[in-house]
Amino acid sequence: MSKFSVRKYRFTWDKGVVVFLVAAVLIGSFGSEYFATASNLSFVIQSIAEIAIIATAMTYLIISGEIDLSVASIMALSSASIGYSFQAGVPFEAAILIGLLVGLLAGLLNGVLVTVFGLPSLAVTIATLALFRGLCWVLLENKPVNQLPTDWVALGNDNIPNTFLPWATIPLVLIAGISWFVLHNTKLGRWVFVIGVNPVASKFSGIPVKGVKLGLFAFTGLMSAVAGVIYTLRFASASPDGGAGYELSVIAAVLFGGVAIAGGVGTMWGVMAAVLSLGVIRSALQLVGFSANALLVVSGGLLLISVILPRVTEFMRSQSSKASIQSNKKEKVYK
Amino acid sequence: MNKKVANKASAVLFASVLALGLAGCSPAVEETPAAEVSSAPASLKIAIVPKAINIGYFTAWDEGAQKACVELKAICDYIGPNEITGAAQVEFINQVIQQQYDILVISAADQNAIVPSLQKAKDAGIIIVTSDADVAAESKDSRVVSILPSEENRIGTAQVDWMAEAIGSTGSVAIISPANAANQTAWINAMGPYLESQYPEMSWVGGSLEKAVFYANDPTESSEAFAAILAQYPDVAGIISPTTVGVLAAAVEKKAKKAAVKVTGLGLPSEMASYIEDGTVEKVGLWNPLDLGYVAVYAGVAAKNGTFDGAVGSSFMAGDKSYTVVEGNIAYLGDPYTFTKENIAEFKVIY
Amino acid sequence: MKLLKKALRVRELPGILGLLLIYVGTGVVNPRFFSPSILNDILYGVAIVAILAIAQTFVIVMRHIDLSVGSVIGFTSFLIGDLSSQGFSLLAVLTVAVLVGATVGAINGFLVAYLGLPSLVVTLATLYIVRGIFNEVGAGKTVVESMVPKELNWLGLNQFFGVPYLFIIVVALMLIAGVTMHKSRAARDLYAIGSNPSAAQLVGIPVKRRILLAFVATGAVSGLAGAVMLARFSSASTQSGLGLELLVVAACVVGGVSIAGGSGSVFGAVIGAVLLQEILLAIGALGIPQFWQLAVNGALIIAAIGLDRYLSTRVKTSNIMGATS
């Protein structure tokens, strides 16, 4: 893809997602009297917080040309570690640190398997999805941990005083903000894009491809762990089957945000808008009366649209450029 | 240039969306809705939330609830997730709060994960009754009352009795059960000491209750658990499965492999009919999910009307029967029904 | 021909080795593992994943993936029982199953081949959509034994000289698919497309038609496999087939069907599926506590992927598949 069309693609689709977000808000506001309330906004943010945080890391990873399907298992494993440690008598603050460390290590494991051993990330993370989930069962067996400290649980559920924003908004905004900055305004961010577009050329230009990828996997593990902390607090418990299936939601959100699965293209704004809008449209449709089954179909449909639309606009643009070239009686241009 | 413009435009749009959201905001839903006004119960809005909406067992549960709603002239909506997870169910509890329902009848998908949400619903003035599956005992204050089929001990020990009947009170027994399911864990814990004290000729495979439980969360895993049991303990006399999914899978496997092991447990009559009719399984039992839904709605409405508060010792009427609340703020329906060749034809069309 | 045979042998070797190693190893620790009933259990239990893995091979060798198979097989399994109980003949319901699967496959294939969309995204979307439709159609209903066509019931329950009929179906499908992949021009093109999509195009292979064909084939086989699922479980509901897709991909990968495309065979896919099933039973036989089983499974799959990578003759830096460049 030429640089021009890449920019146009990002330009078009990201605007598209934000427009979609506005449309979703409108649908909700006009479709149901219960939608545009402070409490609902709070619910929506809470329901997307974990996914959004993991999505920031997944964005980097997919742009660089890799993928990680084990994120939900890492999230659950860090949650299980927190529960296990706390139950063993470790003070809760320390338990949280343990959970974060576990996530980081898990991400590193993924990274090592991919960069050092050269295993394909899709296959490997399907395996680690099972491995990490399995470790949750090893830790907790069939006894979930509840009775977590109430002030911490309050952090996971209540709003910041005098606002309608849940506490989880703070880490969410911080992480999203920093991720956005690094991706679009630093050398590291540019490296991630270049690696995704052309890994071989990147290596030859001196970019430490393996190091960067290893770091991205570790980052993904860490973010999954952060999501795991929030998850544990929100549900006031740690259980071995927590967060099952979240990985597909994260990937769907990232793809809906305009990140190309092939790598090399995407923006953090798009992904964050996508996560928010998916949460909003879910809430809106739910309140309008859509059943869980209908929502499933909608999710799939949105995912399809998110990839079909850019293709269609690209095609139309190339058709119009072809037409104008031909009208100048020049030679046919290869697309 | 283009990128900067795009980013700026996105930022502006994003901010305007937030502004839109803020502008349209009403204050947080704290006050209890209009139903507080002591008007006709006809306007009561009740949400019936199962573990998952597409499962036959819960369709029957809802049928019972709807019957009560018709009798009480309330509006009942059957809503819920399509996968059995706490996180998914919480989204629907949030919907219930948002849409300002009066009463929530819910079968807990996760005994811990939904508690904070139930608290929020309670704070918003919604009456909460759990039915079929309860929250953790430590969290019993989050709901008014829980409607459960039978005392845990009775459900667990009853299955041991059925097993003893089938195997002549002699032999080793294994269990197939979902892991991390509060109900099943409680029932199995009741089975252990009961078998040891009442049936000295019977034992658990592997020598202990712990070793005798094989975990399985869906039909495939249940079938595999059956195979694993037979592989590891070829002389096993009986398999108990305190879950409709498990007992069905065990019956299917037993028939397929022409195994001699006896199977019993909690089974839906409609699913187990053919296996009881052809003798693969002698007896299974279950309570009536319709009753669970029916009684729960009545409990909720009684609580809403102020005639019932769920305290231990209090009671309420459901239809023409009275139910009393016992320790743990639970009301039990009674002993489970059993299904055998004699009565399966009658029950298989009901649920 | 000889070269091709050699290549084939290398790809499946880790899978076969793994099979034997685990069988012997577990049996040494627990001689009961050598009993014929264990073997029977493995063959009986592997049927569904094996058939889906065979179907998945068609798309994986092209460097694509089909995540919608779980939803499709669950749906058709339910439909067969449901329609059959309403009086439709076996042939009619099987045709419906194949058509449903083929339609989903056609949609997948069209979007991937002609619109150039990544298969991961497309099939993830169809996974959701098919499951959503399935849930609506099957809400609250369960297919029970009495609703299962007698023929399927019989197939599920019986054996041919000790080998379950369901596994014989797997072998038959494997042979048909294997020979086709080997001999037919269209199928061999799939490998070319997976190895080097642009080269394949330049050489004159009708890439788009082949991709469409592969997805339709995968969908149709998955649809038909619903019959096997119904025969196996004698029941079906909206919970059927959940989560199957990842297991199927794992089976393929473990069996030497490389995610990078261009190599692997249906024989390997079946080996992979059997290996995973064997591990399941071996874990119990080795006395590994149940709560460890999933973790051990994951670790073993990693080992299998690693071994396969080590032994593979082609070193390829793989991007996430689905990229048509």
Side-chain angles (χ1 to χ4, degrees):
Chain A
M1 269 186 264
S2 77
K3 255 172 111 184
F4 176 71
S5 69
V6 163
R7 279 225 205 93
K8 255 288 178 90
Y9 167 91
R10 285 189 341 201
F11 184 77
T12 312
W13 185 247
D14 288 348
K15 288 282 255 317
V17 177
V18 180
V19 167
F20 179 77
L21 176 56
V22 173
V25 171
L26 289 174
I27 292 176
S29 309
F30 288 109
S32 165
E33 58 190 294
Y34 306 112
F35 175 79
T37 63
S39 57
N40 195 37
L41 182 59
S42 177
F43 283 145
V44 170
I45 295 180
Q46 278 198 313
S47 70
I48 59 158
E50 293 107 1
I51 295 182
I53 291 175
I54 304 180
T56 59
M58 188 70 87
T59 304
Y60 278 86
L61 209 50
I62 295 188
I63 291 180
S64 79
E66 301 292 342
I67 195 171
D68 186 348
L69 288 178
S70 67
V71 288
S73 300
I74 299 180
M75 181 175 93
L77 184 58
S78 70
S79 171
S81 310
I82 295 175
Y84 183 78
S85 319
F86 180 63
Q87 204 166 51
V90 173
F92 199 70
E93 292 76 4
I96 290 185
L97 285 176
I98 292 177
L100 291 175
L101 184 61
V102 165
L104 183 64
L105 290 175
L108 271 173
L109 177 63
N110 280 332
V112 164
L113 287 172
V114 172
T115 57
V116 174
F117 290 91
L119 306 182
S121 56
L122 184 66
V124 145
T125 56
I126 288 181
T128 51
L129 178 159
L131 175 63
F132 297 145
R133 176 69 61 184
L135 289 176
C136 294
W137 288 100
V138 170
L139 277 179
L140 295 181
E141 297 197 344
N142 64 341
K143 306 177 210 69
V145 177
N146 52 13
Q147 304 301 91
L148 304 181
T150 42
D151 38 352
W152 279 99
V153 171
L155 271 187
N157 282 284
D158 295 349
N159 292 338
I160 303 170
N162 296 321
T163 72
F164 51 81
L165 298 173
W167 285 102
T169 319
I170 299 181
L172 173 56
V173 168
L174 269 174
I175 292 175
I178 298 177
S179 303
W180 167 78
F181 183 78
V182 171
L183 185 63
H184 294 295
N185 293 296
T186 67
K187 191 162 67 166
L188 177 61
R190 271 205 306 281
W191 279 358
V192 171
F193 277 101
V194 175
I195 292 174
V197 172
N198 197 330
V200 178
S202 314
K203 201 160 48 158
F204 286 120
S205 356
I207 297 176
V209 174
K210 289 207 172 151
V212 170
K213 285 193 176 180
L214 184 62
L216 292 184
F217 274 103
F219 179 55
T220 305
L222 185 61
M223 289 302 103
S224 306
V226 171
V229 172
I230 297 178
Y231 189 90
T232 310
L233 297 180
R234 178 152 81 105
F235 295 112
S237 59
S239 96
D241 52 10
Y246 266 44
E247 66 279 343
L248 293 184
S249 304
V250 170
I251 292 175
V254 171
L255 296 176
F256 189 63
V259 174
I261 195 78
V265 176
T267 70
M268 194 57 71
W269 267 122
V271 173
M272 289 298 105
V275 176
L276 189 58
S277 56
L278 285 177
V280 166
I281 195 73
R282 253 197 96 85
S283 169
L285 292 179
Q286 230 181 307
L287 291 172
V288 164
F290 276 51
S291 74
N293 301 330
L295 289 174
L296 211 47
V297 175
V298 167
S299 303
L302 286 177
L303 199 52
L304 277 183
I305 293 176
S306 76
V307 282
I308 293 181
L309 221 50
R311 241 3 120 118
V312 168
T313 52
E314 216 180 278
F315 180 72
M316 290 193 318
R317 220 180 309 119
S318 75
Q319 287 300 86
S320 66
S321 71
K322 247 204 252 175
S324 65
I325 289 174
Q326 272 178 330
S327 72
N328 287 341
K329 289 185 186 141
K330 288 217 175 113
E331 270 190 308
K332 240 193 177 186
V333 174
Y334 286 115
K335 254 196 276 187
Chain B
M1 245 334 108
N2 248 350
K3 182 173 85 170
K4 288 226 171 84
V5 170
N7 280 339
K8 281 226 178 82
S10 306
V12 167
L13 267 164
F14 196 70
S16 56
V17 163
L18 264 179
L20 194 75
L22 285 174
C25 265
S26 16
V29 181
E30 276 147 14
E31 325 86 45
T32 43
E36 184 77 305
V37 175
S38 55
S39 60
S43 60
L44 279 181
K45 264 171 59 168
I46 309 182
I48 316 282
V49 178
K51 289 185 188 173
I53 51 171
N54 301 307
I55 300 180
Y57 174 84
F58 288 108
T59 308
W61 182 69
D62 176 52
E63 223 184 284
Q66 297 291 341
K67 179 156 164 256
C69 290
V70 165
E71 290 172 10
L72 291 168
K73 298 199 189 34
I75 305 169
C76 287
D77 295 325
Y78 181 60
I79 57 176
N82 56 24
E83 46 168 358
I84 303 182
T85 68
Q89 200 177 48
V90 161
E91 302 217 342
F92 288 86
I93 299 177
N94 289 345
Q95 180 184 345
V96 167
I97 298 175
Q98 278 307 114
Q99 292 184 317
Q100 297 176 1
Y101 280 86
D102 300 303
I103 300 170
L104 168 61
V105 170
I106 185 168
S107 172
D110 182 315
Q111 53 166 175
N112 295 310
I114 68 171
V115 171
S117 286
L118 288 183
Q119 269 306 126
K120 283 193 192 156
K122 190 173 165 195
D123 293 340
I126 302 177
I127 302 284
I128 302 172
V129 174
T130 58
S131 166
D132 171 70
D134 195 10
V135 291
E138 303 87 32
S139 313
K140 62 180 167 68
D141 291 333
S142 61
R143 81 287 188 276
V144 169
V145 69
S146 180
I147 310 296
L148 295 181
S150 320
E151 259 206 288
E152 294 159 351
N153 285 341
R154 275 314 295 148
I155 299 182
T157 57
Q159 290 176 71
V160 175
D161 287 335
W162 306 334
M163 186 88 267
E165 251 180 76
I167 63 175
S169 306
T170 320
S172 58
V173 178
I175 299 176
I176 297 180
S177 164
N180 196 25
N183 286 348
Q184 275 74 13
T185 307
W187 300 331
I188 291 173
N189 285 338
M191 287 185 202
Y194 185 73
L195 180 143
E196 279 141 34
S197 63
Q198 297 291 96
Y199 298 101
E201 301 293 309
M202 284 167 61
S203 60
W204 298 113
V205 295
S208 70
L209 179 63
E210 252 175 29
K211 282 207 153 173
V213 183
F214 285 71
Y215 295 104
N217 293 311
D218 61 36
T220 308
E221 288 182 17
S222 305
S223 306
E224 283 159 2
F226 186 93
I229 294 173
L230 286 190
Q232 291 174 42
Y233 307 105
D235 306 318
V236 61
I239 296 180
I240 300 177
S241 186
T243 163
T244 58
V245 167
V247 79
L248 176 60
V252 171
E253 292 299 297
K254 173 184 168 166
K255 188 165 171 180
K257 305 202 160 122
K258 303 183 182 32
V261 63
K262 299 288 182 184
V263 170
T264 190
L266 300 177
L268 264 174
S270 56
E271 289 176 0
M272 298 300 293
S274 53
Y275 299 99
I276 292 183
E277 283 158 5
D278 69 19
T280 310
V281 173
E282 285 89 12
K283 174 193 281 189
V284 290
L286 195 65
W287 49 87
N288 190 340
L290 285 98
D291 287 342
L292 281 174
Y294 182 82
V295 173
V297 169
Y298 267 94
V301 171
K304 186 76 194 178
N305 289 339
T307 60
F308 170 65
D309 64 358
V312 178
S314 64
S315 59
F316 64 97
M317 295 292 296
D320 48 6
K321 283 182 71 174
S322 171
Y323 294 90
T324 310
V325 178
V326 299
E327 181 80 38
N329 302 92
I330 305 173
Y332 292 107
L333 293 185
D335 272 356
Y337 294 124
T338 52
F339 308 110
T340 59
K341 265 201 191 136
E342 281 83 49
N343 61 1
I344 188 67
E346 179 199 339
F347 280 100
K348 72 179 183 186
V349 291
I350 302 180
Y351 64 100
Chain C
M1 199 27 111
K2 267 198 201 135
L3 258 155
L4 197 59
K5 280 224 174 85
K6 266 204 199 132
L8 272 175
R9 229 174 285 143
V10 172
R11 285 232 63 89
E12 280 74 40
L13 196 57
I16 300 179
L17 274 181
L19 260 183
L20 292 173
L21 248 151
I22 293 184
Y23 191 71
V24 171
T26 311
V28 161
V29 170
N30 183 348
R32 221 182 278 141
F33 198 65
F34 286 138
S35 75
S37 65
I38 294 278
L39 208 51
N40 196 295
D41 282 337
I42 296 177
L43 297 182
Y44 188 64
V46 82
I48 295 167
V49 174
I51 295 182
L52 288 180
I54 291 174
Q56 188 78 208
T57 310
F58 306 147
V59 295
I60 293 193
V61 296
M62 285 191 313
R63 219 190 273 181
H64 286 296
I65 195 173
D66 187 349
L67 292 177
S68 63
V69 291
S71 302
V72 170
I73 194 177
F75 194 17
T76 56
S77 160
F78 176 84
L79 275 178
I80 292 176
D82 196 36
L83 292 176
S84 182
S85 71
Q86 292 174 32
F88 291 90
S89 74
L90 180 66
L91 191 58
V93 298
L94 287 181
T95 313
V96 168
V98 171
L99 280 178
V100 166
T103 309
V104 174
I107 296 174
N108 286 333
F110 172 74
L111 292 173
V112 173
Y114 290 91
L115 286 189
L117 303 179
S119 55
L120 184 72
V121 183
V122 168
T123 57
L124 183 58
T126 45
L127 179 160
Y128 286 145
I129 295 176
V130 172
R131 181 63 61 176
I133 297 177
F134 177 21
N135 283 348
E136 270 308 307
V137 169
K141 299 194 227 166
T142 315
V143 167
V144 294
E145 198 198 17
S146 50
M147 294 159 78
V148 177
K150 296 280 171 288
E151 298 84 349
L152 289 183
N153 218 346
W154 187 88
L155 275 178
L157 295 178
N158 289 292
Q159 313 187 347
F160 185 72
F161 292 111
V163 180
Y165 273 108
L166 291 184
F167 190 70
I168 294 184
I169 295 178
V170 170
V171 173
L173 185 63
M174 181 182 78
L175 289 174
I176 298 174
V179 167
T180 314
M181 299 288 270
H182 212 69
K183 299 266 187 214
S184 112
R185 169 80 198 290
R188 282 215 302 269
D189 286 347
L190 298 182
Y191 285 95
I193 297 172
S195 309
N196 195 330
S198 19
Q201 184 129 39
L202 287 172
V203 171
I205 293 177
V207 173
K208 295 189 180 157
R209 277 219 308 269
R210 296 288 183 255
I211 295 179
L212 178 61
L213 181 65
F215 272 99
V216 169
T218 304
V221 171
S222 305
L224 194 55
V228 173
M229 182 177 245
L230 191 59
R232 166 101 173 78
F233 293 118
S234 296
S235 61
S237 75
T238 54
Q239 309 295 98
S240 301
L242 274 175
L244 216 43
E245 44 280 328
L246 291 185
L247 191 56
V248 170
V249 173
C252 285
V253 169
V254 160
V257 182
S258 172
I259 282 273
S263 59
S265 70
V266 291
F267 179 54
V270 172
I271 299 276
V274 174
L275 181 56
L276 288 184
Q277 188 72 18
E278 187 193 35
I279 290 174
L280 207 62
L281 281 169
I283 286 177
L286 286 172
I288 298 177
Q290 276 180 74
F291 292 119
W292 283 82
Q293 284 175 16
L294 187 56
V296 171
N297 220 3
L300 283 173
I301 299 179
I302 296 176
I305 296 174
L307 190 58
D308 175 77
R309 176 99 189 150
Y310 177 68
L311 288 177
S312 76
T313 52
R314 320 212 353 253
V315 175
K316 215 172 176 63
T317 46
S318 46
N319 240 330
I320 310 172
M321 354 155 282
T324 47
S325 42

